């Protein structure tokens, strides 16, 4: 921390980052529910916008010789969503799992923690669905002769082909990276610092195919809308057959994907990042004021 009359440090130390993360978690869990709800709406929308950017980057990617390059580009542009969340102070469920640190310190109750999680989760879902409606009604999915919508459909279907255990573990891996990105962003002092801290961990999780519950709240419902309401012209233009997407259903999404991914996100972010670093810096090597 800054000394009396001295300059602020260029970046926070790991121990100071742990304190900053816990303080932020405490503020979220004890804040006004209406504020959390509205900030949760924005976060769901921002993550959805990140997926819009990702989808655009993947149109025509199948023709590339190095498909991994397209996935990396997609991951980098998707990071726009979390950058907006971090810079605007929006409340995202996956990063809100870090409120487990404030619970571990006894600063909040289990009731406060679960209330905050519930409010933010529902708000994220509503924010994502708002973007689903806007994107669908705008006809964006018709872009590139249906190629844009084809990316949504294929990506949605792929997410529903994991087993429960696979979806759960992919959710763990995803939120390891999301919460590491948010945690690292606490070290930054400038907008540029925070953007750089967030971008590469997010690019890693997206390009590797890990599963993010809030991102899926946008992608799969949009895929379902396209599947159920697209006309024959869309299917012929995109070179797809509607019957190939029979497994793309609401029940399959909610029970086979969203539930295990959400549970995995809690473990990956709240436990494997939040509680791990809380144990290191609050219990084993408790930070002291400098």
């Amino acid at each position: 921390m800054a000394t009396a009359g001295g300059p602020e440090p260029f970046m926070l130390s790991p121990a100071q980052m742990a304190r900053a993360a816990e303080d932020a978690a405490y503020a979220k869990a004890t804040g006004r529910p209406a504020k959390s709800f509205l900030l949760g709406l924005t976060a769901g929308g921002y993550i959805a916008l990140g997926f819009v950017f990702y989808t655009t980057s993947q149109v025509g990617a199948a023709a590339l010789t190095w498909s991994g390059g397209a996935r990396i580009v997609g991951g980098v542009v998707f990071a726009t969503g979390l950058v907006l969340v971090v810079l605007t102070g929006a409340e995202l469920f996956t990063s809100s799992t870090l409120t487990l640190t404030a619970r571990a310190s006894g600063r909040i109750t289990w009731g406060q923690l679960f209330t905050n999680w519930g409010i933010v989760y529902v708000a994220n879902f509503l924010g994502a669905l708002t973007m689903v409606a806007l994107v669908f009604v705008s006809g964006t999915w018709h872009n590139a002769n249906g190629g844009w919508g084809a990316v949504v459909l294929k990506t949605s279907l792929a997410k529903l082909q994991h087993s429960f255990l696979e979806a759960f573990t992919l959710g763990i891996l995803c939120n390891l990276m999301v919460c590491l990105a948010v945690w690292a962003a606490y070290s930054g002092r400038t907008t540029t610092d925070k953007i750089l801290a967030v971008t590469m961990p997010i690019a890693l999780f997206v390009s590797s195919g890990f599963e993010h519950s809030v991102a899926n709240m946008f992608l799969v419902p949009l895929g379902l809308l396209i599947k159920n309401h697209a006309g024959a012209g869309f299917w012929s233009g995109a070179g797809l057959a509607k019957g190939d997407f029979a497994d793309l259903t609401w029940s399959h999404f909610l029970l086979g994907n969203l539930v295990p991914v959400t549970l995995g996100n809690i473990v990956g972010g709240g436990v494997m990042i939040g509680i791990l670093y809380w144990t290191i810096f609050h219990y084993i090597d408790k930070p002291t004021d400098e």
Side-chain angles (χ1 to χ4, degrees):
M1 304 296 290
T3 57
E8 289 286 330
F10 179 71
M11 63 180 289
L12 299 186
S13 69
Q16 290 168 336
M17 290 160 58
R19 273 187 288 177
E22 184 182 319
D23 288 344
Y26 170 79
K28 288 182 178 182
T30 58
R32 293 179 180 274
K35 178 182 177 182
S36 292
F37 180 78
L38 292 174
L39 289 175
L41 285 177
T42 64
Y46 296 155
I47 294 300
L49 288 172
F51 225 124
V52 169
F53 204 173
Y54 169 87
T55 302
T56 300
S57 75
Q58 300 305 292
V59 176
L64 297 179
T65 304
W66 182 38
S67 60
R71 293 179 67 88
I72 292 171
V73 170
V76 170
V77 300
F78 177 85
T80 301
L82 192 65
V83 167
L84 292 172
V85 168
V86 169
L87 295 183
T88 63
E91 292 201 30
L92 183 65
F93 173 75
T94 46
S95 57
S96 289
T97 60
L98 292 173
T99 53
L100 279 172
T101 58
R103 178 67 195 100
S105 295
R107 298 175 66 183
I108 63 172
T109 66
W110 283 113
Q112 288 173 314
L113 181 145
F114 288 125
T115 297
N116 177 256
W117 281 8
I119 291 171
V120 172
Y121 193 85
V122 170
N124 285 174
F125 209 158
L126 292 175
L129 290 178
T130 299
M131 292 306 304
V132 167
L134 291 172
V135 170
F136 185 79
V137 173
S138 72
T140 302
W141 50 287
H142 288 295
N143 289 353
N145 200 28
W148 202 96
V151 172
V152 172
L153 285 165
K154 291 176 182 178
T155 307
S156 297
L157 183 63
K159 289 181 175 295
L160 303 191
Q161 292 177 333
H162 300 303
S163 69
F164 192 98
L165 180 59
E166 288 172 342
F168 174 73
T169 53
L170 287 168
I172 292 175
L173 290 166
C174 165
N175 217 27
L176 275 171
M177 302 317 302
V178 171
C179 286
L180 275 174
V182 171
W183 198 279
Y186 286 119
S187 70
R189 292 296 193 185
T190 69
T191 298
T192 301
D193 295 338
K194 294 179 183 295
I195 292 173
L196 291 175
V198 165
T199 298
M200 297 315 293
I202 301 306
L204 189 160
F205 109 65
V206 175
S207 62
S208 300
F210 301 156
E211 293 285 328
H212 189 277
S213 56
V214 180
N216 291 355
M217 291 172 183
F218 167 76
L219 177 72
V220 182
L222 180 58
L224 283 161
L225 270 182
I226 295 172
K227 172 203 167 186
N228 293 328
H229 298 285
F234 167 81
W235 295 105
S236 61
L240 300 175
K242 184 176 181 179
D244 292 339
F245 298 91
D247 289 339
L248 187 56
T249 65
W250 278 105
S251 61
H252 198 173
F253 165 53
L254 295 173
L255 300 178
N257 178 269
L258 193 59
V259 169
V261 169
T262 298
L263 294 174
N265 287 168
I266 292 171
V267 173
V271 178
M272 297 182 70
I273 299 301
I275 295 302
L276 172 66
Y277 279 109
W278 178 88
T279 301
I280 294 170
F281 292 113
H282 190 93
Y283 182 73
I284 296 175
D285 186 21
K286 186 174 180 179
T288 58
D289 290 332
E290 297 177 21

